[in-house]
C-alpha cells in the first residue's frame, strides 16, 4: 500500500465537523449532513482522531448497524486509538457463534481483522513485506514443531537470514544466548521481541537439515520479497503435478507468477498443488491473477466473485455522497496521483464517495478471464489456520468451477476485506466488504474446512515428497484417494497426535497467532477507477 496516499489532502478538522453533525443522533445509519459546515469542531488532535475513527466505522464498517450512537459510545473516552477500535469491533455478533465477528479470545485486546498502520511500527513491517514486496527485517519466521522443537518455517530468498544459511526446517537451539526455548508464554514473548521486534540484529544457533550446528548473527536489512518460495514438477503415476509455495499476495509478483505457471504448462502439468499454508492474504488483484491462471477456459465471462458492502453504502443517495466522510478520501489513479473530477461530490478530485457500492455494479462483480495455457483437471490447496483472506478468496472462487481439494487444517476465516482509510497520520483498516463466489457462497468466518486433515512436517525442506501435506496431494494425484497403505503410513503421519510433544490443532493455531504477531492477514482492495 502507498503510505502517502492521503497525507496531503486529508484535513482531519473537516472530517470532525462532519462527524459532530452526523453522529449525535440515535439512528444506526449515518444521516445526511450539510455539505458546508457552519461551525468549527473543537478538541485536541487526538480527540478529533478518535471522533474520526468512530465516524468512518459508522459509515463504512461492514457491520455498522450494530454500532451505538456517538453519545453512547463516547469515542474520546478511550485511552488510545487501539482500545477504541477494539471496542468498536466487539458489538457485531455472529449468530452462528454468539460472539462478535472479530472475536479472538476472552483475553484478547486486539480484534480479529481490524487494525491501524502508523507507517513505522506494528503491522507496517508485514504490510511492506507481505503486501508491498519490500521489507527491512531478518527475513524469516518460526513455528513450534513440538513443544520443545522450534523450527524455521520459511526464509525469504536474498534476505539477511538466507544469507546466513537459514532454511526451512532448521532447528533453533539458542536465540540471543537463551537455550531454553520450550513453548511457554514467556518464551513466546521473548521470541517475538528477539525475532520480530526492532532490534538491529539477533544471534542464532541452529542445526540445519544436514545435521550441522551453526552460530550466526543476522542483521536486519532491506530486501525485495519474492512470495514464491519454491516450485517443482513431480510425476505422480502418469500425471505431471506442479507444486508452488506462495507465501503472500504481494503487488510485485505478477511477472514471477506468470513465469512459474507458464513453466508448469510447458512441462505438461495437468494438476497443481498451491501451498498457501502461511499465506495471510494481500492484494485482491494478485489473487484474481492466480485464479484466472488456474480456472477453466469455459468460465471466462462468468462471475468469479461479488463484493458486498453494508446496506448504507449500497444505497447512497447523491446527497449522502456529498455529505459522506468518504469525500475526504481521494481516489487515486494507478500511478498514485489525484484525478481531477470537477463533477464529483467535492467538485475538485475523485474520491471514494464517487464509487458505486451497490452489489449489482460491475465495479463489484469480478469476472473470470482465463489467462495462460494451463488446462487443469484438479487443483490442490495446502492450507492451515494461517491461511487467510485473499488466500481463502482464491480457494472459494475456484470451488464452484473445478475440482478443488484442500489438505491440512481449517483456514483462518476471513471472508471480508478492506481499503485503507487515512485519518491524520494513521491508516485504518476495518472490514468494509464481504466476498461471495458465483454460487453465492461466503461467510466462512470459522474458516474453510479441508478434505484431508493432516499436520505439516516442519522437519522437511520445501518440496520434500515425504513432507506430510505435499505427500497427501501427490498420493491423491496418483491414486485418486487420500487413503494410504500401511507401508506409507509412517511417512504420511510423521506428525501423528500419538507423539507426546505434538501440539494440538488448536495449540498450533494459537502459537501461530502468538509468534510473529505482526503477520499480515488481510484482503486489500484499492480501486483505481478512472474518472
Amino acid at each position: 500500500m502507498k503510505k502517502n496516499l492521503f497525507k496531503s489532502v486529508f484535513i482531519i478538522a473537516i472530517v470532525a465537523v462532519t462527524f459532530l453533525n452526523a453522529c449525535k443522533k440515535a439512528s444506526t445509519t449515518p444521516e445526511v449532513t450539510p455539505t458546508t459546515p457552519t461551525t468549527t469542531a473543537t478538541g485536541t488532535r487526538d480527540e478529533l482522531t478518535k471522533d474520526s475513527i468512530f465516524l468512518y466505522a459508522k459509515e463504512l464498517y461492514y457491520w455498522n448497524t450494530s454500532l451505538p450512537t456517538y453519545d453512547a459510545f463516547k469515542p474520546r473516552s478511550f485511552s488510545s486509538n487501539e482500545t477504541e477500535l477494539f471496542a468498536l469491533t466487539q458489538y457485531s455478533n455472529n449468530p452462528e457463534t454468539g460472539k462478535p465477528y472479530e472475536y479472538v479470545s476472552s483475553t484478547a485486546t486486539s480484534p480479529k481483522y481490524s487494525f491501524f498502520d502508523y507507517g513505522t511500527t506494528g503491522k507496517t513491517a508485514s504490510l511492506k513485506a507481505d503486501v508491498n514486496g519490500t521489507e527491512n527485517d531478518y527475513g524469516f519466521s518460526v513455528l513450534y514443531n513440538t513443544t520443545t522443537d522450534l523450527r524455521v518455517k520459511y526464509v525469504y530468498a536474498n534476505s539477511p537470514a538466507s544469507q546466513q544459511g537459514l532454511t526451512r526446517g532448521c532447528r533453533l537451539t539458542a536465540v540471543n544466548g537463551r537455550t531454553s526455548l520450550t513453548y511457554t508464554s514467556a518464551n513466546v514473548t521473548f521470541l517475538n521481541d528477539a525475532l520480530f521486534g526492532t532490534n538491529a540484529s539477533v544471534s542464532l544457533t541452529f542445526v540445519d537439515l544436514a545435521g550441522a550446528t551453526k552460530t550466526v548473527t543476522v542483521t536486519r536489512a532491506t530486501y525485495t520479497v519474492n512470495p514464491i518460495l519454491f516450485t517443482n514438477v513431480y510425476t505422480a503415476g502418469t500425471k505431471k503435478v506442479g507444486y508452488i509455495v506462495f507465501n503472500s499476495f504481494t503487488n510485485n509478483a505478477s511477472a514471477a507468477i506468470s513465469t512459474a505457471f507458464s513453466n508448469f504448462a510447458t512441462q505438461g502439468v495437468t494438476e497443481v498443488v498451491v501451498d498457501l499454508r502461511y499465506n495471510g492474504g494481500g492484494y485482491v488483484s494478485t489473487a484474481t491473477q492466480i485464479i484466472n491462471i488456474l480456472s477453466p477456459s469455459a468460465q471466462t465471462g462468468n462471475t468469479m466473485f461479488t463484493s458486498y458492502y453494508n446496506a448504507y453504502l449500497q444505497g447512497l443517495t447523491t446527497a449522502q455522497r456529498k455529505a459522506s466522510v468518504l469525500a475526504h478520501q481521494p481516489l487515486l489513479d494507478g500511478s498514485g496521483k489525484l484525478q481531477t473530477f470537477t463533477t464529483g461530490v467535492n467538485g475538485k478530485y475523485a474520491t471514494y464517495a464517487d464509487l458505486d457500492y451497490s452489489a449489482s455494479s460491475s465495479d463489484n462483480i469480478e469476472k473470470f478471464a482465463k489467462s495462460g495455457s494451463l488446462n487443469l483437471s484438479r487443483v490442490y490447496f495446502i492450507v492451515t489456520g494461517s491461511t487467510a483472506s485473499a488466500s481463502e478468496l482464491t480457494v472459494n472462487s475456484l470451488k464452484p468451477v473445478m475440482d478443488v481439494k484442500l489438505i491440512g487444517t481449517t483456514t483462518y476465516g476471513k471472508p471480508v476485506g478492506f481499503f485503507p482509510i487515512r485519518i491524520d497520520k494513521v491508516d485504518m483498516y476495518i472490514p468494509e466488504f464481504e466476498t461471495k463466489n458465483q454460487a453465492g457462497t461466503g461467510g466462512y468466518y470459522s474458516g474453510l474446512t479441508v478434505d484431508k486433515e493432516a499436520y505439516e512436517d516442519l522437519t522437511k525442506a520445501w518440496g520434500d515428497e515425504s513432507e506430510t501435506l505435499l505427500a497427501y496431494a501427490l498420493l491423491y494425484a496418483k491414486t485418486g484417494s487420500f487413503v494410504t497403505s500401511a507401508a506409507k503410513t509412517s511417512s504420511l503421519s510423521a506428525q501423528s497426535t500419538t507423539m507426546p510433544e505434538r501440539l494440538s490443532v488448536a495449540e498450533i493455531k494459537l502459537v501461530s497467532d502468538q509468534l510473529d504477531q505482526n503477520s499480515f492477514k488481510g484482503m486489500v482492495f484499492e480501486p483505481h477507477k478512472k474518472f
Side-chain angles (χ1 to χ4, degrees):
M1 239 136 317
K2 301 175 181 66
K3 302 300 178 186
N4 61 350
L5 295 188
F6 311 119
K7 289 182 180 177
S8 63
V9 291
F10 182 86
I11 304 174
I12 192 171
I14 295 177
V15 176
V17 170
T18 309
F19 169 77
L20 291 174
N21 282 303
C23 292
K24 290 187 177 180
K25 306 296 182 181
S27 172
T28 57
T29 302
E31 66 178 87
V32 177
T33 59
T35 57
T36 305
T38 56
T39 60
T40 301
T42 59
T44 66
R45 188 172 191 167
D46 179 69
E47 288 173 335
L48 294 177
T49 295
K50 289 183 171 62
D51 287 350
S52 296
I53 290 168
F54 179 85
L55 171 59
Y56 275 113
K58 193 73 170 176
E59 282 199 19
L60 308 184
Y61 195 47
Y62 190 59
W63 304 284
N64 66 331
T65 56
S66 66
L67 300 180
T69 63
Y70 175 84
D71 288 338
F73 185 71
K74 297 180 175 60
R76 298 187 182 192
S77 67
F78 291 90
S79 60
S80 67
N81 296 342
E82 284 72 22
T83 56
E84 178 186 2
L85 184 65
F86 180 73
L88 281 169
T89 63
Q90 301 306 297
Y91 284 96
S92 51
N93 278 353
N94 182 345
E96 293 185 4
T97 64
K99 294 181 173 62
Y101 285 97
E102 296 211 51
Y103 176 84
V104 176
S105 70
S106 59
T107 59
T109 57
S110 298
K112 184 174 183 178
Y113 308 133
S114 301
F115 64 92
F116 293 112
D117 178 17
Y118 290 92
T120 55
T121 58
K123 289 284 183 181
T124 304
S126 43
L127 283 173
K128 287 180 179 177
D130 295 349
V131 180
N132 278 352
T134 58
E135 180 54 298
N136 182 282
D137 63 6
Y138 304 139
F140 76 106
S141 191
V142 298
L143 185 61
Y144 280 96
N145 195 48
T146 70
T147 56
T148 59
D149 185 8
L150 182 65
R151 297 271 174 165
V152 174
K153 66 180 185 180
Y154 68 80
V155 180
Y156 282 119
N158 301 317
S159 69
S162 174
Q163 293 172 1
Q164 292 298 327
L166 271 80
T167 65
R168 171 180 167 82
C170 289
R171 180 177 183 180
L172 296 181
T173 57
V175 176
N176 285 342
R178 180 179 293 201
T179 57
S180 177
L181 300 174
T182 300
Y183 175 46
T184 64
S185 60
N187 276 339
V188 168
T189 299
F190 168 78
L191 291 170
N192 273 321
D193 178 64
L195 302 179
F196 310 113
T198 59
N199 301 321
S201 63
V202 61
S203 174
L204 304 173
T205 299
F206 64 92
V207 180
D208 66 19
L209 291 178
T213 299
K214 300 177 181 179
T215 297
V216 300
T217 297
V218 182
T219 302
R220 69 172 58 244
T222 300
Y223 60 96
T224 299
V225 172
N226 180 355
I228 300 175
L229 300 183
F230 183 85
T231 65
N232 198 19
V233 174
Y234 302 88
T235 299
T238 60
K239 298 175 182 175
K240 292 291 186 180
V241 180
Y243 176 57
I244 182 170
V245 182
F246 195 68
N247 210 46
S248 178
F249 290 87
T250 63
N251 66 354
N252 70 332
S254 179
I257 291 168
S258 295
T259 298
F261 285 105
S262 178
N263 288 339
F264 287 166
T266 299
Q267 296 183 64
V269 163
T270 58
E271 296 186 3
V272 169
V273 183
V274 183
D275 196 330
L276 302 174
R277 69 183 74 190
Y278 307 132
N279 193 318
Y283 279 102
V284 171
S285 56
T286 305
T288 58
Q289 179 188 0
I290 293 179
I291 293 168
N292 280 322
I293 290 173
L294 299 172
S295 66
S297 299
Q299 285 297 319
T300 294
N302 294 337
T303 296
M304 180 188 293
F305 62 85
T306 302
S307 298
Y308 296 87
Y309 293 83
N310 66 43
Y312 171 71
L313 287 178
Q314 288 193 46
L316 280 175
T317 65
T318 299
Q320 287 172 322
R321 289 180 189 280
K322 290 182 179 296
S324 171
V325 288
L326 284 175
H328 304 291
Q329 296 290 329
L331 185 66
L332 307 183
D333 62 19
S335 300
K337 297 179 179 179
L338 288 173
Q339 301 183 75
T340 301
F341 190 41
T342 57
T343 58
V345 297
N346 71 5
K348 298 176 182 177
Y349 48 81
T351 73
Y352 275 77
D354 295 310
L355 294 175
D356 186 346
Y357 294 95
S358 63
S360 59
S361 170
S362 60
D363 293 338
N364 301 319
I365 302 174
E366 187 71 30
K367 301 282 188 178
F368 282 103
K370 173 66 178 179
S371 63
S373 57
L374 274 177
N375 183 16
L376 302 176
S377 59
R378 182 180 296 117
V379 60
Y380 307 85
F381 289 102
I382 292 177
V383 298
T384 67
S386 297
T387 305
S389 207
S391 289
E392 293 169 308
L393 171 70
T394 301
V395 175
N396 193 52
S397 296
L398 288 171
K399 269 192 164 187
V401 303
M402 65 186 302
D403 188 0
V404 172
K405 301 297 182 187
L406 270 64
I407 302 168
T409 56
T410 301
T411 64
Y412 183 75
K414 191 178 187 299
V416 289
F418 36 50
F419 49 80
I421 293 298
R422 189 69 181 179
I423 301 177
D424 197 20
K425 295 182 178 181
V426 61
D427 284 330
M428 180 170 73
Y429 291 85
I430 58 174
E432 292 140 347
F433 62 89
E434 178 180 4
T435 61
K436 297 181 181 181
N437 63 24
Q438 71 170 229
T441 301
Y444 39 87
Y445 293 99
S446 297
L448 298 169
T449 56
V450 297
D451 299 288
K452 176 58 183 178
E453 185 172 66
Y455 292 98
E456 69 169 316
D457 187 351
L458 283 159
T459 68
K460 299 294 195 304
W462 291 124
D464 188 322
E465 293 181 56
S466 67
E467 194 279 316
T468 309
L469 303 185
L470 175 59
Y472 272 119
L474 296 176
L475 174 68
Y476 197 99
K478 183 177 182 179
T479 68
S481 172
F482 290 120
V483 178
T484 184
S485 64
K488 294 181 179 179
T489 301
S490 59
S491 63
L492 289 176
S493 302
Q495 298 300 305
S496 168
T497 53
T498 60
M499 296 180 67
E501 294 180 331
R502 178 67 202 179
L503 277 68
S504 68
V505 172
E507 287 173 327
I508 292 171
K509 187 177 186 304
L510 179 62
V511 72
S512 296
D513 289 340
Q514 289 175 332
L515 283 170
D516 196 1
Q517 293 178 18
N518 291 327
S519 179
F520 178 76
K521 294 181 178 66
M523 183 161 58
V524 181
F525 174 62
E526 285 190 313
H528 294 298
K529 185 174 181 179
K530 294 182 179 180
F531 286 93

